[in-house]
PDB file of all heavy atoms in Angstrom:
ATOM      1  N   ASP A 140       1.409  28.543 -10.027  1.00  0.00           N
ATOM      2  CA  ASP A 140       2.220  29.741  -9.812  1.00  0.00           C
ATOM      3  C   ASP A 140       3.256  29.868 -10.919  1.00  0.00           C
ATOM      4  O   ASP A 140       3.769  28.855 -11.416  1.00  0.00           O
ATOM      5  CB  ASP A 140       2.965  29.649  -8.480  1.00  0.00           C
ATOM      6  CG  ASP A 140       2.116  30.112  -7.305  1.00  0.00           C
ATOM      7  OD1 ASP A 140       0.890  30.218  -7.462  1.00  0.00           O
ATOM      8  OD2 ASP A 140       2.704  30.355  -6.239  1.00  0.00           O
ATOM      9  N   ILE A 141       3.566  31.095 -11.285  1.00  0.00           N
ATOM     10  CA  ILE A 141       4.791  31.338 -12.054  1.00  0.00           C
ATOM     11  C   ILE A 141       5.790  31.934 -11.069  1.00  0.00           C
ATOM     12  O   ILE A 141       5.493  32.916 -10.377  1.00  0.00           O
ATOM     13  CB  ILE A 141       4.537  32.272 -13.242  1.00  0.00           C
ATOM     14  CG1 ILE A 141       3.730  31.504 -14.296  1.00  0.00           C
ATOM     15  CG2 ILE A 141       5.858  32.788 -13.824  1.00  0.00           C
ATOM     16  CD1 ILE A 141       3.574  32.204 -15.619  1.00  0.00           C
ATOM     17  N   LYS A 142       6.931  31.283 -10.975  1.00  0.00           N
ATOM     18  CA  LYS A 142       7.953  31.688 -10.012  1.00  0.00           C
ATOM     19  C   LYS A 142       9.041  32.491 -10.719  1.00  0.00           C
ATOM     20  O   LYS A 142       9.688  31.993 -11.647  1.00  0.00           O
ATOM     21  CB  LYS A 142       8.562  30.447  -9.349  1.00  0.00           C
ATOM     22  CG  LYS A 142       7.555  29.631  -8.542  1.00  0.00           C
ATOM     23  CD  LYS A 142       7.008  30.408  -7.368  1.00  0.00           C
ATOM     24  CE  LYS A 142       6.136  29.547  -6.469  1.00  0.00           C
ATOM     25  NZ  LYS A 142       5.548  30.303  -5.356  1.00  0.00           N
ATOM     26  N   LEU A 143       9.239  33.699 -10.271  1.00  0.00           N
ATOM     27  CA  LEU A 143      10.176  34.612 -10.935  1.00  0.00           C
ATOM     28  C   LEU A 143      11.592  34.424 -10.390  1.00  0.00           C
ATOM     29  O   LEU A 143      11.778  34.065  -9.219  1.00  0.00           O
ATOM     30  CB  LEU A 143       9.725  36.055 -10.703  1.00  0.00           C
ATOM     31  CG  LEU A 143       8.313  36.385 -11.206  1.00  0.00           C
ATOM     32  CD1 LEU A 143       7.935  37.822 -10.838  1.00  0.00           C
ATOM     33  CD2 LEU A 143       8.223  36.189 -12.726  1.00  0.00           C
ATOM     34  N   PRO A 144      12.596  34.706 -11.230  1.00  0.00           N
ATOM     35  CA  PRO A 144      13.987  34.582 -10.771  1.00  0.00           C
ATOM     36  C   PRO A 144      14.294  35.427  -9.530  1.00  0.00           C
ATOM     37  O   PRO A 144      15.097  35.017  -8.692  1.00  0.00           O
ATOM     38  CB  PRO A 144      14.799  35.073 -11.985  1.00  0.00           C
ATOM     39  CG  PRO A 144      13.910  34.800 -13.159  1.00  0.00           C
ATOM     40  CD  PRO A 144      12.504  35.013 -12.672  1.00  0.00           C
ATOM     41  N   SER A 145      13.628  36.574  -9.375  1.00  0.00           N
ATOM     42  CA  SER A 145      13.892  37.407  -8.193  1.00  0.00           C
ATOM     43  C   SER A 145      13.391  36.748  -6.916  1.00  0.00           C
ATOM     44  O   SER A 145      13.762  37.167  -5.815  1.00  0.00           O
ATOM     45  CB  SER A 145      13.225  38.784  -8.353  1.00  0.00           C
ATOM     46  OG  SER A 145      11.818  38.648  -8.415  1.00  0.00           O
ATOM     47  N   VAL A 146      12.547  35.720  -7.064  1.00  0.00           N
ATOM     48  CA  VAL A 146      11.989  35.021  -5.901  1.00  0.00           C
ATOM     49  C   VAL A 146      12.763  33.741  -5.604  1.00  0.00           C
ATOM     50  O   VAL A 146      13.068  33.438  -4.450  1.00  0.00           O
ATOM     51  CB  VAL A 146      10.504  34.676  -6.164  1.00  0.00           C
ATOM     52  CG1 VAL A 146       9.968  33.724  -5.107  1.00  0.00           C
ATOM     53  CG2 VAL A 146       9.674  35.940  -6.225  1.00  0.00           C
ATOM     54  N   THR A 147      13.087  32.976  -6.655  1.00  0.00           N
ATOM     55  CA  THR A 147      13.680  31.651  -6.454  1.00  0.00           C
ATOM     56  C   THR A 147      15.205  31.650  -6.641  1.00  0.00           C
ATOM     57  O   THR A 147      15.869  30.717  -6.212  1.00  0.00           O
ATOM     58  CB  THR A 147      13.099  30.643  -7.463  1.00  0.00           C
ATOM     59  OG1 THR A 147      13.401  31.109  -8.783  1.00  0.00           O
ATOM     60  CG2 THR A 147      11.592  30.513  -7.313  1.00  0.00           C
ATOM     61  N   GLY A 148      15.717  32.655  -7.341  1.00  0.00           N
ATOM     62  CA  GLY A 148      17.143  32.643  -7.692  1.00  0.00           C
ATOM     63  C   GLY A 148      17.446  31.690  -8.831  1.00  0.00           C
ATOM     64  O   GLY A 148      18.616  31.453  -9.154  1.00  0.00           O
ATOM     65  N   THR A 149      16.407  31.108  -9.434  1.00  0.00           N
ATOM     66  CA  THR A 149      16.600  30.173 -10.555  1.00  0.00           C
ATOM     67  C   THR A 149      15.725  30.610 -11.726  1.00  0.00           C
ATOM     68  O   THR A 149      14.787  31.385 -11.559  1.00  0.00           O
ATOM     69  CB  THR A 149      16.203  28.740 -10.154  1.00  0.00           C
ATOM     70  OG1 THR A 149      14.824  28.748  -9.726  1.00  0.00           O
ATOM     71  CG2 THR A 149      17.064  28.211  -9.033  1.00  0.00           C
ATOM     72  N   GLU A 150      16.029  30.071 -12.913  1.00  0.00           N
ATOM     73  CA  GLU A 150      15.218  30.355 -14.115  1.00  0.00           C
ATOM     74  C   GLU A 150      14.328  29.148 -14.357  1.00  0.00           C
ATOM     75  O   GLU A 150      14.820  28.059 -14.638  1.00  0.00           O
ATOM     76  CB  GLU A 150      16.140  30.566 -15.316  1.00  0.00           C
ATOM     77  CG  GLU A 150      17.076  31.744 -15.170  1.00  0.00           C
ATOM     78  CD  GLU A 150      16.668  32.916 -16.037  1.00  0.00           C
ATOM     79  OE1 GLU A 150      15.780  32.755 -16.898  1.00  0.00           O
ATOM     80  OE2 GLU A 150      17.237  34.012 -15.831  1.00  0.00           O
ATOM     81  N   GLU A 151      13.043  29.339 -14.240  1.00  0.00           N
ATOM     82  CA  GLU A 151      12.099  28.220 -14.424  1.00  0.00           C
ATOM     83  C   GLU A 151      11.284  28.377 -15.712  1.00  0.00           C
ATOM     84  O   GLU A 151      10.260  27.710 -15.893  1.00  0.00           O
ATOM     85  CB  GLU A 151      11.150  28.130 -13.221  1.00  0.00           C
ATOM     86  CG  GLU A 151      11.835  27.941 -11.886  1.00  0.00           C
ATOM     87  CD  GLU A 151      12.608  26.632 -11.781  1.00  0.00           C
ATOM     88  OE1 GLU A 151      12.266  25.664 -12.502  1.00  0.00           O
ATOM     89  OE2 GLU A 151      13.574  26.593 -10.994  1.00  0.00           O
ATOM     90  N   TRP A 152      11.708  29.232 -16.642  1.00  0.00           N
ATOM     91  CA  TRP A 152      10.892  29.557 -17.816  1.00  0.00           C
ATOM     92  C   TRP A 152      10.539  28.328 -18.643  1.00  0.00           C
ATOM     93  O   TRP A 152       9.395  28.150 -19.056  1.00  0.00           O
ATOM     94  CB  TRP A 152      11.596  30.590 -18.692  1.00  0.00           C
ATOM     95  CG  TRP A 152      11.931  31.862 -17.976  1.00  0.00           C
ATOM     96  CD1 TRP A 152      13.171  32.377 -17.756  1.00  0.00           C
ATOM     97  CD2 TRP A 152      11.003  32.778 -17.354  1.00  0.00           C
ATOM     98  NE1 TRP A 152      13.082  33.546 -17.037  1.00  0.00           N
ATOM     99  CE2 TRP A 152      11.770  33.817 -16.788  1.00  0.00           C
ATOM    100  CE3 TRP A 152       9.616  32.813 -17.216  1.00  0.00           C
ATOM    101  CZ2 TRP A 152      11.189  34.890 -16.102  1.00  0.00           C
ATOM    102  CZ3 TRP A 152       9.041  33.883 -16.537  1.00  0.00           C
ATOM    103  CH2 TRP A 152       9.820  34.895 -15.999  1.00  0.00           C
ATOM    104  N   ASP A 153      11.521  27.486 -18.906  1.00  0.00           N
ATOM    105  CA  ASP A 153      11.256  26.320 -19.747  1.00  0.00           C
ATOM    106  C   ASP A 153      10.296  25.356 -19.043  1.00  0.00           C
ATOM    107  O   ASP A 153       9.360  24.836 -19.659  1.00  0.00           O
ATOM    108  CB  ASP A 153      12.577  25.603 -20.098  1.00  0.00           C
ATOM    109  CG  ASP A 153      12.319  24.503 -21.119  1.00  0.00           C
ATOM    110  OD1 ASP A 153      11.652  24.787 -22.135  1.00  0.00           O
ATOM    111  OD2 ASP A 153      12.749  23.358 -20.886  1.00  0.00           O
ATOM    112  N   ASN A 154      10.515  25.142 -17.754  1.00  0.00           N
ATOM    113  CA  ASN A 154       9.594  24.274 -17.003  1.00  0.00           C
ATOM    114  C   ASN A 154       8.178  24.851 -16.998  1.00  0.00           C
ATOM    115  O   ASN A 154       7.200  24.120 -17.171  1.00  0.00           O
ATOM    116  CB  ASN A 154      10.083  24.101 -15.560  1.00  0.00           C
ATOM    117  CG  ASN A 154      11.308  23.214 -15.485  1.00  0.00           C
ATOM    118  OD1 ASN A 154      11.474  22.303 -16.293  1.00  0.00           O
ATOM    119  ND2 ASN A 154      12.179  23.477 -14.520  1.00  0.00           N
ATOM    120  N   HIS A 155       8.064  26.156 -16.788  1.00  0.00           N
ATOM    121  CA  HIS A 155       6.735  26.789 -16.783  1.00  0.00           C
ATOM    122  C   HIS A 155       6.064  26.658 -18.153  1.00  0.00           C
ATOM    123  O   HIS A 155       4.860  26.421 -18.254  1.00  0.00           O
ATOM    124  CB  HIS A 155       6.852  28.259 -16.403  1.00  0.00           C
ATOM    125  CG  HIS A 155       7.066  28.501 -14.942  1.00  0.00           C
ATOM    126  ND1 HIS A 155       6.495  27.734 -13.955  1.00  0.00           N
ATOM    127  CD2 HIS A 155       7.786  29.454 -14.288  1.00  0.00           C
ATOM    128  CE1 HIS A 155       6.855  28.196 -12.766  1.00  0.00           C
ATOM    129  NE2 HIS A 155       7.639  29.233 -12.948  1.00  0.00           N
ATOM    130  N   SER A 156       6.851  26.821 -19.195  1.00  0.00           N
ATOM    131  CA  SER A 156       6.313  26.718 -20.551  1.00  0.00           C
ATOM    132  C   SER A 156       5.722  25.318 -20.785  1.00  0.00           C
ATOM    133  O   SER A 156       4.597  25.165 -21.268  1.00  0.00           O
ATOM    134  CB  SER A 156       7.449  27.008 -21.542  1.00  0.00           C
ATOM    135  OG  SER A 156       7.031  26.737 -22.831  1.00  0.00           O
ATOM    136  N   ARG A 157       6.467  24.309 -20.429  1.00  0.00           N
ATOM    137  CA  ARG A 157       5.990  22.929 -20.605  1.00  0.00           C
ATOM    138  C   ARG A 157       4.797  22.646 -19.690  1.00  0.00           C
ATOM    139  O   ARG A 157       3.885  21.905 -20.054  1.00  0.00           O
ATOM    140  CB  ARG A 157       7.126  21.939 -20.318  1.00  0.00           C
ATOM    141  CG  ARG A 157       8.188  21.955 -21.401  1.00  0.00           C
ATOM    142  CD  ARG A 157       9.416  21.176 -20.951  1.00  0.00           C
ATOM    143  NE  ARG A 157      10.465  21.234 -21.931  1.00  0.00           N
ATOM    144  CZ  ARG A 157      10.837  20.220 -22.719  1.00  0.00           C
ATOM    145  NH1 ARG A 157      10.192  19.077 -22.646  1.00  0.00           N
ATOM    146  NH2 ARG A 157      11.815  20.351 -23.570  1.00  0.00           N
ATOM    147  N   PHE A 158       4.826  23.214 -18.502  1.00  0.00           N
ATOM    148  CA  PHE A 158       3.725  22.986 -17.562  1.00  0.00           C
ATOM    149  C   PHE A 158       2.428  23.590 -18.108  1.00  0.00           C
ATOM    150  O   PHE A 158       1.361  22.965 -18.048  1.00  0.00           O
ATOM    151  CB  PHE A 158       4.059  23.602 -16.203  1.00  0.00           C
ATOM    152  CG  PHE A 158       3.143  23.159 -15.109  1.00  0.00           C
ATOM    153  CD1 PHE A 158       3.511  22.155 -14.239  1.00  0.00           C
ATOM    154  CD2 PHE A 158       1.887  23.740 -14.948  1.00  0.00           C
ATOM    155  CE1 PHE A 158       2.653  21.722 -13.235  1.00  0.00           C
ATOM    156  CE2 PHE A 158       1.025  23.318 -13.955  1.00  0.00           C
ATOM    157  CZ  PHE A 158       1.406  22.307 -13.097  1.00  0.00           C
ATOM    158  N   LEU A 159       2.508  24.793 -18.643  1.00  0.00           N
ATOM    159  CA  LEU A 159       1.308  25.436 -19.215  1.00  0.00           C
ATOM    160  C   LEU A 159       0.710  24.554 -20.310  1.00  0.00           C
ATOM    161  O   LEU A 159      -0.508  24.410 -20.415  1.00  0.00           O
ATOM    162  CB  LEU A 159       1.672  26.813 -19.780  1.00  0.00           C
ATOM    163  CG  LEU A 159       1.865  27.925 -18.743  1.00  0.00           C
ATOM    164  CD1 LEU A 159       2.591  29.118 -19.368  1.00  0.00           C
ATOM    165  CD2 LEU A 159       0.521  28.371 -18.172  1.00  0.00           C
ATOM    166  N   GLN A 160       1.581  23.975 -21.106  1.00  0.00           N
ATOM    167  CA  GLN A 160       1.090  23.109 -22.185  1.00  0.00           C
ATOM    168  C   GLN A 160       0.451  21.831 -21.627  1.00  0.00           C
ATOM    169  O   GLN A 160      -0.521  21.323 -22.180  1.00  0.00           O
ATOM    170  CB  GLN A 160       2.235  22.778 -23.129  1.00  0.00           C
ATOM    171  CG  GLN A 160       2.735  24.013 -23.877  1.00  0.00           C
ATOM    172  CD  GLN A 160       4.019  23.763 -24.639  1.00  0.00           C
ATOM    173  OE1 GLN A 160       4.025  23.017 -25.615  1.00  0.00           O
ATOM    174  NE2 GLN A 160       5.102  24.369 -24.199  1.00  0.00           N
ATOM    175  N   ALA A 161       0.999  21.338 -20.522  1.00  0.00           N
ATOM    176  CA  ALA A 161       0.461  20.100 -19.931  1.00  0.00           C
ATOM    177  C   ALA A 161      -0.889  20.325 -19.260  1.00  0.00           C
ATOM    178  O   ALA A 161      -1.707  19.411 -19.172  1.00  0.00           O
ATOM    179  CB  ALA A 161       1.462  19.540 -18.916  1.00  0.00           C
ATOM    180  N   ALA A 162      -1.134  21.548 -18.758  1.00  0.00           N
ATOM    181  CA  ALA A 162      -2.338  21.787 -17.938  1.00  0.00           C
ATOM    182  C   ALA A 162      -3.395  22.629 -18.635  1.00  0.00           C
ATOM    183  O   ALA A 162      -4.474  22.820 -18.085  1.00  0.00           O
ATOM    184  CB  ALA A 162      -1.915  22.478 -16.637  1.00  0.00           C
ATOM    185  N   ARG A 163      -3.136  23.107 -19.828  1.00  0.00           N
ATOM    186  CA  ARG A 163      -4.042  24.118 -20.388  1.00  0.00           C
ATOM    187  C   ARG A 163      -5.418  23.583 -20.770  1.00  0.00           C
ATOM    188  O   ARG A 163      -6.346  24.372 -20.928  1.00  0.00           O
ATOM    189  CB  ARG A 163      -3.396  24.817 -21.581  1.00  0.00           C
ATOM    190  CG  ARG A 163      -3.200  23.953 -22.800  1.00  0.00           C
ATOM    191  CD  ARG A 163      -2.542  24.772 -23.896  1.00  0.00           C
ATOM    192  NE  ARG A 163      -1.981  23.905 -24.912  1.00  0.00           N
ATOM    193  CZ  ARG A 163      -1.090  24.305 -25.801  1.00  0.00           C
ATOM    194  NH1 ARG A 163      -0.649  25.544 -25.780  1.00  0.00           N
ATOM    195  NH2 ARG A 163      -0.634  23.464 -26.697  1.00  0.00           N
ATOM    196  N   ASP A 164      -5.567  22.268 -20.896  1.00  0.00           N
ATOM    197  CA  ASP A 164      -6.902  21.730 -21.196  1.00  0.00           C
ATOM    198  C   ASP A 164      -7.744  21.516 -19.935  1.00  0.00           C
ATOM    199  O   ASP A 164      -8.910  21.138 -20.025  1.00  0.00           O
ATOM    200  CB  ASP A 164      -6.780  20.407 -21.961  1.00  0.00           C
ATOM    201  CG  ASP A 164      -6.239  20.634 -23.367  1.00  0.00           C
ATOM    202  OD1 ASP A 164      -6.402  21.763 -23.877  1.00  0.00           O
ATOM    203  OD2 ASP A 164      -5.639  19.696 -23.926  1.00  0.00           O
ATOM    204  N   LEU A 165      -7.147  21.764 -18.767  1.00  0.00           N
ATOM    205  CA  LEU A 165      -7.877  21.614 -17.497  1.00  0.00           C
ATOM    206  C   LEU A 165      -8.398  22.984 -17.065  1.00  0.00           C
ATOM    207  O   LEU A 165      -8.218  23.984 -17.752  1.00  0.00           O
ATOM    208  CB  LEU A 165      -6.934  21.022 -16.439  1.00  0.00           C
ATOM    209  CG  LEU A 165      -6.320  19.673 -16.798  1.00  0.00           C
ATOM    210  CD1 LEU A 165      -5.316  19.247 -15.742  1.00  0.00           C
ATOM    211  CD2 LEU A 165      -7.406  18.614 -16.953  1.00  0.00           C
ATOM    212  N   ASP A 166      -9.075  23.014 -15.885  1.00  0.00           N
ATOM    213  CA  ASP A 166      -9.518  24.289 -15.327  1.00  0.00           C
ATOM    214  C   ASP A 166      -8.289  24.935 -14.679  1.00  0.00           C
ATOM    215  O   ASP A 166      -8.059  24.829 -13.480  1.00  0.00           O
ATOM    216  CB  ASP A 166     -10.633  24.023 -14.305  1.00  0.00           C
ATOM    217  CG  ASP A 166     -11.168  25.311 -13.697  1.00  0.00           C
ATOM    218  OD1 ASP A 166     -10.676  26.395 -14.049  1.00  0.00           O
ATOM    219  OD2 ASP A 166     -12.083  25.204 -12.860  1.00  0.00           O
ATOM    220  N   LEU A 167      -7.504  25.574 -15.505  1.00  0.00           N
ATOM    221  CA  LEU A 167      -6.208  26.138 -15.096  1.00  0.00           C
ATOM    222  C   LEU A 167      -6.316  27.645 -14.889  1.00  0.00           C
ATOM    223  O   LEU A 167      -6.948  28.336 -15.699  1.00  0.00           O
ATOM    224  CB  LEU A 167      -5.181  25.865 -16.209  1.00  0.00           C
ATOM    225  CG  LEU A 167      -3.860  26.649 -16.162  1.00  0.00           C
ATOM    226  CD1 LEU A 167      -2.962  26.162 -15.028  1.00  0.00           C
ATOM    227  CD2 LEU A 167      -3.124  26.528 -17.508  1.00  0.00           C
ATOM    228  N   TYR A 168      -5.748  28.145 -13.816  1.00  0.00           N
ATOM    229  CA  TYR A 168      -5.508  29.582 -13.717  1.00  0.00           C
ATOM    230  C   TYR A 168      -4.075  29.786 -13.230  1.00  0.00           C
ATOM    231  O   TYR A 168      -3.469  28.883 -12.645  1.00  0.00           O
ATOM    232  CB  TYR A 168      -6.531  30.291 -12.829  1.00  0.00           C
ATOM    233  CG  TYR A 168      -6.556  29.881 -11.388  1.00  0.00           C
ATOM    234  CD1 TYR A 168      -5.781  30.551 -10.437  1.00  0.00           C
ATOM    235  CD2 TYR A 168      -7.362  28.846 -10.951  1.00  0.00           C
ATOM    236  CE1 TYR A 168      -5.808  30.192  -9.106  1.00  0.00           C
ATOM    237  CE2 TYR A 168      -7.393  28.475  -9.620  1.00  0.00           C
ATOM    238  CZ  TYR A 168      -6.617  29.148  -8.706  1.00  0.00           C
ATOM    239  OH  TYR A 168      -6.645  28.779  -7.381  1.00  0.00           O
ATOM    240  N   ILE A 169      -3.562  30.967 -13.517  1.00  0.00           N
ATOM    241  CA  ILE A 169      -2.143  31.232 -13.251  1.00  0.00           C
ATOM    242  C   ILE A 169      -2.040  32.368 -12.242  1.00  0.00           C
ATOM    243  O   ILE A 169      -2.723  33.391 -12.367  1.00  0.00           O
ATOM    244  CB  ILE A 169      -1.407  31.607 -14.557  1.00  0.00           C
ATOM    245  CG1 ILE A 169      -1.485  30.444 -15.545  1.00  0.00           C
ATOM    246  CG2 ILE A 169       0.047  31.950 -14.282  1.00  0.00           C
ATOM    247  CD1 ILE A 169      -2.450  30.644 -16.662  1.00  0.00           C
ATOM    248  N   LYS A 170      -1.166  32.180 -11.280  1.00  0.00           N
ATOM    249  CA  LYS A 170      -1.008  33.136 -10.187  1.00  0.00           C
ATOM    250  C   LYS A 170       0.443  33.594 -10.147  1.00  0.00           C
ATOM    251  O   LYS A 170       1.355  32.773 -10.282  1.00  0.00           O
ATOM    252  CB  LYS A 170      -1.379  32.411  -8.894  1.00  0.00           C
ATOM    253  CG  LYS A 170      -1.604  33.237  -7.703  1.00  0.00           C
ATOM    254  CD  LYS A 170      -2.529  32.536  -6.714  1.00  0.00           C
ATOM    255  CE  LYS A 170      -2.062  31.184  -6.239  1.00  0.00           C
ATOM    256  NZ  LYS A 170      -0.855  31.197  -5.402  1.00  0.00           N
ATOM    257  N   LEU A 171       0.641  34.883  -9.974  1.00  0.00           N
ATOM    258  CA  LEU A 171       1.999  35.404  -9.880  1.00  0.00           C
ATOM    259  C   LEU A 171       2.063  36.342  -8.671  1.00  0.00           C
ATOM    260  O   LEU A 171       1.284  37.300  -8.590  1.00  0.00           O
ATOM    261  CB  LEU A 171       2.366  36.147 -11.169  1.00  0.00           C
ATOM    262  CG  LEU A 171       3.822  36.544 -11.349  1.00  0.00           C
ATOM    263  CD1 LEU A 171       4.172  36.625 -12.831  1.00  0.00           C
ATOM    264  CD2 LEU A 171       4.125  37.876 -10.702  1.00  0.00           C
ATOM    265  N   VAL A 172       2.943  36.052  -7.741  1.00  0.00           N
ATOM    266  CA  VAL A 172       3.085  36.889  -6.545  1.00  0.00           C
ATOM    267  C   VAL A 172       3.947  38.096  -6.908  1.00  0.00           C
ATOM    268  O   VAL A 172       5.056  37.943  -7.437  1.00  0.00           O
ATOM    269  CB  VAL A 172       3.725  36.085  -5.394  1.00  0.00           C
ATOM    270  CG1 VAL A 172       4.000  36.994  -4.195  1.00  0.00           C
ATOM    271  CG2 VAL A 172       2.809  34.931  -4.984  1.00  0.00           C
TER     272      VAL A 172
END
Side-chain angles (χ1 to χ4, degrees):
D140 275 16
I141 288 189
K142 297 296 187 183
L143 301 176
S145 64
V146 169
T147 60
T149 58
E150 298 254 350
E151 302 297 335
W152 303 118
D153 187 49
N154 288 329
H155 283 324
S156 172
R157 289 169 183 253
F158 193 99
L159 283 164
Q160 294 170 68
R163 68 180 163 197
D164 291 336
L165 302 175
D166 181 359
L167 165 72
Y168 63 91
I169 299 105
K170 194 155 58 67
L171 190 152
V172 174

